[in-house]
Amino acid sequence: METRYFRMFPPVRSLLTALILTILFLPLQAHAAGGLKGSVTDKTDGEPVIGASVMLENTTLGAASDFDGNYAIQNIPAGTYNLKITGIGYAQQTKNVTIADGQTATLNLQLGQTTIMASEVIIGAALYEQDRLDVPVTTSVVTTEEIREEPNPSLDQVIENIPGVNVTRSSGYSAATVQIRGSNTFQGGGIGTRVNAFYDGFPINSPETGGIVWTNVNMNAADKVEVVKGAASTLYGSAAMGGVVNVFGSLPDKFEVKGGASLGFYDATPDSDQSVYRDGYTPWLWNTYIGIGDKTDKFNYSLLYTHSEDDGYRDNSQTQLNDIKFKARYDIDASQYLQLTSYYNETEAGYVSTWPYDLGPGGTFIAHPEYAYDLADDVYTDDIVTRKNMLVGLNYVNLLSDNMSLDSRIYYTRNEYRIDYNPTDIVQQFPPFGPFYIYNRLPGEFNSNKSDRYGAGIKFDWRASQQHRLLFGIDGNIVDLASTQYRPDLPVLNEFGDIQEKNIALFVQDEFKMTDRLTALLSLRYDWSGIDADEVTYKDYSIHPTEPWLAPEVTESISNQSVDAISPRLALNFKATDDLSFRASVGKSFRAPTLSERFVRDAGLFVGNPNPALDKETMTGYEIGFFKNFSDKVSLDVAGYINDYDNLIESRNLNAPDFPVIFMYENISKARIWGIETSLNIRPTNTLNFGLGYAYMNAKDKSSDGGALAGSQNPEPDWLAYRPEHTASLSATWHATSRLALNTNGRYVSKYKSVSTYPNLERENYPGDFIVFNAGAKYQATDNVKVSFLCKNITNEQYEEGEWFRAPGRSFILGFDFVY
């Protein structure tokens, strides 16, 4: 049965009750009101600063400067406040201001320029705003300006140039994974992702796999993105072992109607390509969006709808997206507000297989990259994947006093995923070649998951003294999953089975100001995760791998129905001078096995055995680094890290090197990943900005028998699969005139040393070993309309991010955006 009733266990029920009572009974205070207005200008040339943030500290009140640099804050209770002013590319300022009862004060402000990196205000690992120089854990920021450089960007595209971040995509919406510091491999798409993603603080990882469909997270409504690297699970929860990606939705500062459209096409492939798919055919892509928003004295909202279609640069990679996002905030008074974050999107796309290949003697694979834009066989051309994702989250924030604030939240997510394998009325054989088959796809056969997640949390931020700032709280959620394969009982064709997962966590953090320049961040988190099944039934395909119909049925007890862990972290920040800070941290994190890792049975061409003995994995991470601002023109961030994994969960081939592949997720005893990351930002003039990044990574399996899938067939079998040793990025933006901006960016990924599916000692057809450059231009045609042009993959580089999945070649996109 697909239907499952929501069953709350006592801790979560108590948590929800406490949250609701807290919201209902906290006082709604009334104050005499005044106002503040003025302008924000550049100290150097007196020009208005657009989009500067002007906030009254310890209140919910603030505004952003408009196109003329003007700002206005209304309904301010009489009193004296600290006014914080920030802007991208400008040094942060704090001013003291007094507001009289019923009067509007005027304060004109001037900001001095600095590098973009040095001007960043970051939420990061502390879960509250910090200046860039005070951050104890490596954090990277993608600004609004950078997000807008590309028409209709997706989340993977806006973070792919960050040092230490590596994106692996097959194509379309089929499968994509983002690893931070080598945290996860490309197996089953996003299965077992060790990166947590949040939208306005609410989780967007799929609860059954832990993965994120990164290509599916549209960024048209985003204000900025933060990437926190390292053992972030102390405050962000299980699975944040590699790091955290935070997306912040935008809200307007006045009434606006905005929209835009873009149209593009994929250029022809090189003469060496013999793919049939592109013969006489040019695939097109287009996108359009429309939105409305407003801000009044107490109410602020944004509503945005996006639709995009892509013919697909290779066979069966066509995509279609409909996405709607609504965000609203109601300021009850100067000390409390409610904020709603919600979205719904649905996608339909072709499910892409690898490029064509033959099965040679002894089960060897003979690849045909000359047909890289075609599918392995026509039998895959009717495979369709559909997804539906929904989030509804509500925050209640109350600044209880100058020293204490409350942030409580409740949320609901819905994730649906379905692959239709065979819409025909005849049986399709898998694989469609060779002397044997693994299984048949019957007419109408599909694979599907439907998950409902109910969550709540409450967090207190208490400035206990000048030396101590305490953060403490509780989180919990329940996941109800209906799935055709992630289930403890034996799957029945096209029927859903049910399983439930429960999670709860407690956390506390102390920011200890040891001296004027030395700050310690001490954190502790306890997590518990459990499922409602005590045994699993499956067919053991490892007994007769070439005759799967003879696989015996097995029932085994689940050894680790529930897992728990305590995750501590200590981080230090030493501000040696006003423009130089050093940081160091050590932390422990854990990840519970996902439902997909516990029960996966079907991975397309490959089949799997569930693992009833699967246990949690843990990681101890160490980091040192520094941030230096050289005058107002150059800033440099350098970090070194070591991540030691215990019981790392990875997929292992049970019958390597034979075909077909029979896999199982197992706990590898030990692995170590260490590396160095550098980020350099240079602003030689007010109109020119450069960004350079480089990351070195060493990823080794420390277990005795080699843990990578089919590892012995790689030239370096102890190197963890799909972890590139070198990555680099370059970006440049030039404001040629007050209306014209030109930008370019590029990235390099070294050739992978180890893969999992098609290993060979010569590293033939291994992914990586590419340099890709994009270039774009934006022109402010009028005060309200921008025109843009983008060329992606300028050199038409032919490369792969995932094994035997050709990445897109050159494409051209022309678009426009308007705001009224």
Side-chain angles (χ1 to χ4, degrees):
M1 291 294 291
E2 173 190 340
T3 304
R4 158 162 279 174
Y5 294 102
F6 173 38
R7 303 190 298 271
M8 290 187 296
F9 65 118
V12 173
R13 186 167 57 241
S14 300
L15 174 64
L16 287 172
T17 303
L19 176 62
I20 294 169
L21 291 176
T22 300
I23 294 174
L24 291 176
F25 289 103
L26 283 171
L28 306 184
Q29 304 167 10
H31 301 278
L36 179 66
K37 66 178 183 179
S39 63
V40 185
T41 57
D42 190 304
K43 185 184 295 185
T44 304
D45 55 19
E47 290 294 315
V49 177
I50 303 171
S53 172
V54 184
M55 291 291 301
L56 295 173
E57 291 188 334
N58 298 321
T59 77
T60 64
L61 303 176
S65 56
D66 60 20
F67 284 102
D68 298 317
N70 297 321
Y71 73 93
I73 307 173
Q74 300 175 338
N75 296 320
I76 306 175
T80 300
Y81 301 89
N82 286 328
L83 186 71
K84 183 171 67 176
I85 311 100
T86 59
I88 297 174
Y90 292 90
Q92 178 178 307
Q93 282 193 22
T94 302
K95 297 283 188 180
N96 190 263
V97 62
T98 299
I99 306 298
D101 184 7
Q103 297 183 16
T104 298
T106 299
L107 182 62
N108 295 323
L109 306 161
Q110 289 187 322
L111 295 179
Q113 290 192 9
T114 184
T115 62
I116 290 178
M117 285 178 67
S119 67
E120 293 168 348
V121 176
I122 294 171
I123 303 296
L127 285 185
Y128 44 72
E129 286 189 351
Q130 292 179 300
D131 184 81
R132 184 68 181 80
L133 282 159
D134 298 327
V135 174
V137 177
T138 303
T139 304
S140 300
V141 177
V142 183
T143 65
T144 305
E145 184 180 39
E146 293 170 311
I147 293 173
R148 299 293 178 263
E149 286 181 354
E150 182 169 333
N152 193 39
S154 55
L155 181 53
D156 60 304
Q157 294 167 335
V158 303
I159 65 173
E160 65 184 4
N161 291 325
I162 294 175
V165 174
N166 187 52
V167 181
T168 304
R169 290 161 285 215
S170 55
S171 58
Y173 296 133
S174 295
T177 187
V178 169
Q179 66 173 230
I180 299 177
R181 295 179 171 175
S183 53
N184 50 276
T185 186
F186 183 72
Q187 48 185 23
I191 291 180
T193 300
R194 298 180 185 93
V195 176
N196 273 359
F198 297 87
Y199 198 98
D200 280 344
F202 299 103
I204 59 176
N205 296 66
S206 175
E208 72 272 16
T209 65
I212 305 102
V213 188
W214 302 91
T215 53
N216 203 22
V217 183
N218 186 271
M219 300 298 290
N220 279 337
D223 187 48
K224 70 171 182 175
V225 180
E226 288 186 1
V227 177
V228 184
K229 303 173 186 176
S233 65
T234 306
L235 291 183
Y236 286 99
S238 170
M241 308 176 83
V244 171
V245 177
N246 281 318
V247 181
F248 297 86
S250 61
L251 282 172
D253 56 3
K254 62 181 180 180
F255 177 76
E256 67 176 23
V257 175
K258 64 181 180 180
S262 60
L263 180 66
F265 65 93
Y266 293 100
D267 201 358
T269 59
D271 293 339
S272 58
D273 178 66
Q274 303 175 37
S275 303
V276 176
Y277 172 65
R278 290 301 307 270
D279 284 351
Y281 174 61
T282 299
W284 288 77
L285 64 153
W286 67 278
N287 158 74
T288 184
Y289 71 94
I290 187 73
I292 187 171
D294 195 9
K295 181 178 182 181
T296 61
D297 289 348
K298 290 182 175 293
F299 188 61
N300 196 191
Y301 75 91
S302 172
L303 176 65
L304 188 84
Y305 169 72
T306 300
H307 176 82
S308 64
E309 294 187 18
D310 190 325
D311 289 340
Y313 68 93
R314 54 168 303 196
D315 200 5
N316 210 40
S317 66
Q318 72 279 2
T319 63
Q320 178 176 289
L321 165 73
N322 288 291
D323 180 273
I324 185 165
K325 289 184 171 69
F326 179 70
K327 182 176 180 178
R329 170 169 161 164
Y330 176 70
D331 292 328
I332 300 170
D333 56 30
S335 62
Q336 53 187 331
Y337 66 87
L338 288 169
Q339 181 169 291
L340 173 70
T341 298
S342 60
Y343 65 72
Y344 173 80
N345 61 61
E346 56 184 30
T347 60
E348 181 177 297
Y351 194 77
V352 182
S353 77
T354 63
W355 59 39
Y357 57 87
D358 295 322
L359 194 62
T364 59
F365 295 95
I366 303 172
H368 293 291
E370 67 274 18
Y371 298 102
Y373 293 87
D374 294 336
L375 297 182
D377 192 271
D378 289 341
V379 73
Y380 300 105
T381 58
D382 54 19
D383 291 1
I384 299 296
V385 57
T386 55
R387 288 185 172 94
K388 297 178 182 180
N389 303 291
M390 181 172 68
L391 163 68
V392 179
L394 181 67
N395 272 94
Y396 170 70
V397 176
N398 191 315
L399 306 178
L400 301 169
S401 68
D402 289 344
N403 299 318
M404 172 76 80
S405 67
L406 161 74
D407 185 350
S408 53
R409 60 176 185 158
I410 54 176
Y411 62 92
Y412 166 73
T413 66
R414 170 79 171 184
N415 299 87
E416 296 186 14
Y417 170 80
R418 173 171 170 141
I419 303 176
D420 284 288
Y421 292 113
N422 183 8
T424 72
D425 55 2
I426 61 174
V427 175
Q428 294 181 345
Q429 183 174 299
F430 277 70
F433 50 78
F436 54 81
Y437 71 96
I438 301 177
Y439 42 62
N440 290 328
R441 296 297 190 191
L442 301 178
E445 185 173 347
F446 66 86
N447 185 9
S448 180
N449 306 315
K450 300 181 180 182
S451 61
D452 296 285
R453 174 169 47 196
Y454 311 83
I458 191 167
K459 176 182 67 180
F460 288 92
D461 185 351
W462 177 34
R463 295 181 183 269
S465 66
Q466 292 293 327
Q467 289 75 38
H468 294 277
R469 180 175 183 176
L470 297 174
L471 195 73
F472 52 94
I474 182 172
D475 282 313
N477 65 71
I478 292 177
V479 176
D480 284 330
L481 173 65
S483 175
T484 55
Q485 71 158 316
Y486 303 149
R487 48 193 289 183
D489 58 334
L490 197 65
V492 178
L493 181 67
N494 291 0
E495 290 188 9
F496 288 89
D498 294 339
I499 192 167
Q500 187 178 80
E501 181 182 71
K502 301 170 185 177
N503 305 280
I504 193 165
L506 304 167
F507 61 88
V508 62
Q509 173 181 279
D510 181 16
E511 182 185 289
F512 178 23
K513 195 80 173 176
M514 303 173 70
T515 70
D516 288 342
R517 295 191 176 276
L518 180 61
T519 303
L521 199 67
L522 301 97
S523 309
L524 187 68
R525 181 181 176 105
Y526 171 76
D527 284 272
W528 178 91
S529 177
I531 61 174
D532 67 346
D534 55 12
E535 62 181 24
V536 57
T537 301
Y538 62 96
K539 290 187 176 181
D540 188 351
Y541 293 108
S542 66
I543 303 299
H544 299 283
T546 60
E547 299 173 304
W549 57 90
L550 297 179
E553 185 176 312
V554 178
T555 299
E556 296 186 54
S557 297
I558 297 175
S559 302
N560 302 291
Q561 290 177 261
S562 66
V563 295
D564 65 344
I566 295 177
S567 303
R569 182 182 63 191
L570 169 63
L572 298 172
N573 179 283
F574 177 64
K575 198 169 182 178
T577 65
D578 289 342
D579 57 10
L580 171 65
S581 66
F582 295 90
R583 62 185 183 272
S585 64
V586 57
K588 199 173 183 68
S589 59
F590 106 110
R591 186 173 72 88
T594 63
L595 294 172
S596 58
E597 288 169 321
R598 287 179 182 271
F599 302 116
V600 64
R601 306 158 190 268
D602 184 349
L605 187 60
F606 308 146
V607 292
N609 282 358
N611 184 357
L614 201 61
D615 199 0
K616 67 184 179 184
E617 61 181 18
T618 60
M619 189 269 279
T620 304
Y622 311 86
E623 179 185 334
I624 58 172
F626 72 87
F627 176 81
K628 170 66 176 175
N629 189 33
F630 300 90
S631 70
D632 61 349
K633 302 299 184 184
V634 180
S635 58
L636 174 66
D637 189 277
V638 178
Y641 65 90
I642 299 174
N643 293 332
D644 286 327
Y645 290 89
D646 285 320
N647 287 325
L648 183 71
I649 300 173
E650 293 265 334
S651 174
R652 190 194 300 267
N653 189 349
L654 299 180
N655 62 321
D658 297 327
F659 186 86
V661 172
I662 312 297
F663 67 92
M664 174 188 285
Y665 282 90
E666 297 182 353
N667 292 102
I668 299 172
S669 57
K670 288 186 181 297
R672 167 170 284 188
I673 302 176
W674 65 271
I676 299 173
E677 300 165 353
T678 61
S679 296
L680 178 66
N681 189 273
I682 306 172
R683 176 174 282 186
T685 69
N686 295 340
T687 60
L688 189 60
N689 189 81
F690 294 99
L692 300 97
Y694 168 74
Y696 169 80
M697 178 171 57
N698 185 287
K700 293 294 185 71
D701 174 11
K702 296 298 183 180
S703 60
S704 59
D705 56 348
L709 179 65
S712 61
Q713 296 171 282
N714 285 293
E716 296 190 38
D718 61 341
W719 192 278
L720 293 173
Y722 299 107
R723 275 82 168 184
E725 186 175 17
H726 304 279
T727 57
S729 62
L730 168 69
S731 65
T733 302
W734 177 38
H735 293 273
T737 70
S738 60
R739 290 186 174 273
L740 177 63
L742 306 176
N743 65 79
T744 184
N745 64 76
R747 63 191 179 100
Y748 164 73
V749 177
S750 64
K751 192 170 186 177
Y752 289 12
K753 291 188 171 186
S754 176
V755 298
S756 61
T757 307
Y758 307 106
N760 61 84
L761 297 179
E762 294 76 28
R763 287 204 295 171
E764 186 177 1
N765 296 316
Y766 275 31
D769 192 26
F770 63 82
I771 300 176
V772 175
F773 272 96
N774 310 317
K778 282 219 169 190
Y779 179 68
Q780 189 81 44
T782 70
D783 290 343
N784 305 101
V785 178
K786 287 184 179 180
V787 179
S788 62
F789 173 76
L790 177 67
C791 177
K792 303 182 70 173
N793 194 352
I794 299 171
T795 61
N796 205 16
E797 177 80 3
Q798 304 296 294
Y799 68 101
E800 290 79 46
E801 294 176 338
E803 235 179 318
W804 294 15
F805 287 99
R806 178 59 50 87
R810 183 166 47 226
S811 61
F812 301 94
I813 305 172
L814 180 66
F816 74 92
D817 303 89
F818 68 83
V819 179
Y820 288 97

